[in-house]
Amino acid sequence: AKEEGKGTYVLYDKSMHTAFNERMNIEKHLRGALGNQEFELHYQPQVDIRSGMISGFEALIRWNNPVLGFVSPLSFIKVAEDSRLIIDIGEWVLREACLFMKQVNERMLYPYKISVNISIIQMLQEDFTEMVLDSLAVSGLVPSLLELEITESVFMKSFGSIVSKLEFLKSQGIRIALDDFGTGYSSLGYLQQLPISTLKMDKTFIDSLSEKDYSQAFVQTIIQLGHNMGLEVVAEGVEDSGQLAFLKESGCDKVQGYLVSKPLPESGVNVLLAQRKQY
Ligand code: C2E
Ligand code: CA
Ligand code: CA
Ligand code: CA
C-alpha cells in the first residue's frame, strides 16, 4: 500500500502493484548474484578527439541471472541502492575494473584509463576512500589512470562529507568526472565547489544536435564552460559522424558512444585495441 501521510494508506493501482512486485523480485535475485558470479563488466571506449585514438574505457556492469535472464542496470542499480547491495556490488566493479585495466596496460605501449560509476551509497560508507585506494594498490594501477564517475544528485545529500572525500581522492591523483552533466536540477554555482576533473555532457544534448537549432550553441557553451574551469569535456552517446565532426570543431576533448563502439566484454577490448584504429 502507498503511504499517504502518517498512518494513512490508500489503495494502489495495478501498475504500482506490478512495479513493486517487480522490484521485490529483482531484489530477491540480486541478493545471490555476486556470490553466484552472475555479474560481468563490459567496457566502452572513449576516444581522444584530437588524436583520434582510444584513451580509455568506461566500465559498465552486466547482469545475467538464470531466472530473470539479462537485466539492464537501468532496472537494477536503483534496487541495489535501496537495498544497499550496491555497496558490495560497487566494490566488486571497482576492483574488477582496476585489475582488468592493469592487465590490458601490461601489454600496451601507452596506458589506458578506466572510468568507474560510483553510487552515492558507496561514497557515504565510512571506509569509501580506503576501499578505493586499496583497489588501486591491489591491482597495481596508478591513481591517475582511474576516474570515478559521480552524478550531480550526489551533492544534494551530505554535500560536505562527500566533497571532502572526493578532494582527498583527487589529491591522491584519482580523477573525478561529473556524469550526465546538464540533466540535474542543481545550479551552476556548485560546480566551482566540486573537486572534479571532467564533465560528461549528457547524451540528450548530443541527441538534440540534429533536431533543434539552439542545441549547437548549447553544446558549445557547455564545452566552453568546462574549459574555462580547467575541466576536460567528454560527450556521451555519440552515434553518428556528423555529431563527431561538430564536437571536434567545437573543441570537445573526448567522445564515447556507439559510433566508436558499444560496451564490449574483455575479449572484445583486446580485439579492438589490436586494431590500433584512428577515429
Ligand atoms: P551511464 O553511466 O550514463 O552510462 C552510459 C549508458 O549509455 C550505458 O548504458 C551505455 O551502454 C549507454 N550508451 C553508450 N553509448 C551509447 C550510444 O551511443 N547510444 C545509446 N543509446 N546508448 C549509449 P548501460 O550500460 O545500460 O548503463 C545504464 C546506467 O546504469 C549507466 O548510465 C549508469 O548510471 C548505471 N550503471 C551501469 N554500470 C554501473 C555500475 O557499475 N555502477 C553503478 N553505480 N551504476 C552503473
Ligand atoms: Ca576478469
Ligand atoms: Ca557513467
Ligand atoms: Ca552518463
Side-chain angles (χ1 to χ4, degrees):
K2 181 184 189 303
E3 200 173 354
E4 196 187 68
K6 227 180 187 172
T8 316
Y9 287 84
V10 294
L11 286 174
Y12 44 65
D13 61 40
K14 250 212 173 94
S15 62
M16 274 178 65
H17 183 80
T18 312
F20 178 75
N21 279 334
E22 194 185 303
R23 290 176 64 96
M24 289 293 287
N25 199 32
I26 288 176
E27 187 179 328
K28 185 177 92 185
H29 291 286
L30 206 50
R31 291 203 174 274
L34 202 53
N36 296 332
Q37 295 179 295
E38 291 167 10
F39 295 117
E40 190 186 326
L41 293 185
H42 280 198
Y43 299 89
Q44 187 176 38
Q46 290 187 349
V47 165
D48 177 276
I49 299 185
R50 261 163 302 246
S51 68
M53 302 304 285
I54 292 171
S55 57
F57 294 84
E58 177 179 0
L60 294 154
I61 195 167
R62 296 294 177 259
W63 180 26
N64 187 5
N65 177 264
V67 178
L68 303 175
F70 285 98
V71 185
S72 162
L74 295 172
S75 324
F76 74 80
I77 291 293
K78 186 74 175 63
V79 178
E81 289 180 328
D82 293 346
S83 58
R84 306 181 63 76
L85 291 165
I86 195 71
I87 296 167
D88 287 346
I89 296 172
E91 177 171 344
W92 176 83
V93 169
L94 182 66
R95 290 183 183 276
E96 179 82 4
C98 291
L99 284 169
F100 177 62
M101 215 28 60
K102 174 66 183 179
Q103 239 179 64
V104 166
N105 287 342
E106 220 101 80
R107 293 176 275 109
M108 297 290 162
L109 205 51
Y110 300 104
Y112 294 95
K113 293 184 176 145
I114 183 72
S115 300
V116 178
N117 294 287
I118 303 289
S119 158
I120 180 164
I121 309 291
Q122 292 176 268
M123 287 187 265
L124 289 170
Q125 291 298 294
E126 215 179 327
D127 63 352
F128 173 66
T129 54
E130 288 101 88
M131 188 275 285
V132 173
L133 294 182
D134 189 65
S135 303
L136 281 171
V138 167
S139 69
L141 194 76
V142 296
S144 60
L145 295 178
L146 175 64
E147 184 165 74
L148 305 179
E149 295 197 1
I150 61 177
T151 58
E152 292 173 57
S153 62
V154 153
F155 300 102
M156 290 155 72
K157 297 178 203 161
S158 311
F159 188 89
S161 82
I162 286 184
V163 169
S164 46
K165 285 180 190 183
L166 293 176
E167 266 164 359
F168 172 70
L169 291 172
K170 200 182 175 196
S171 77
Q172 302 298 299
I174 295 164
R175 301 178 60 86
I176 313 287
L178 195 54
D179 202 357
D180 305 336
F181 179 71
T183 58
Y185 298 98
S186 333
S187 77
L188 287 176
Y190 76 107
L191 255 188
Q192 311 168 52
Q193 302 174 48
L194 302 181
I196 51 175
S197 355
T198 305
L199 280 188
K200 288 194 90 176
M201 199 175 2
D202 194 70
K203 180 181 189 303
T204 51
F205 296 109
I206 311 306
D207 288 341
S208 68
L209 274 178
S210 49
E211 292 147 26
K212 304 187 188 101
D213 40 5
Y214 58 80
S215 62
Q216 296 200 345
F218 216 96
V219 165
Q220 288 176 327
T221 303
I222 294 176
I223 294 169
Q224 276 164 26
L225 172 79
H227 286 170
N228 288 343
M229 297 184 63
L231 306 175
E232 174 176 79
V233 182
V234 180
E236 285 196 282
V238 176
E239 293 179 348
D240 65 61
S241 50
Q243 294 167 339
L244 175 60
F246 177 77
L247 290 162
K248 185 171 186 171
E249 193 183 301
S250 307
C252 186
D253 302 289
K254 286 180 182 170
V255 287
Q256 185 182 339
Y258 293 172
L259 175 68
V260 176
S261 171
K262 292 199 169 189
L264 302 166
E266 291 184 2
S267 59
V269 169
N270 291 317
V271 171
L272 184 73
L273 290 178
Q275 295 171 354
R276 311 194 118 273
K277 191 174 156 188
Q278 193 172 16
Y279 294 88

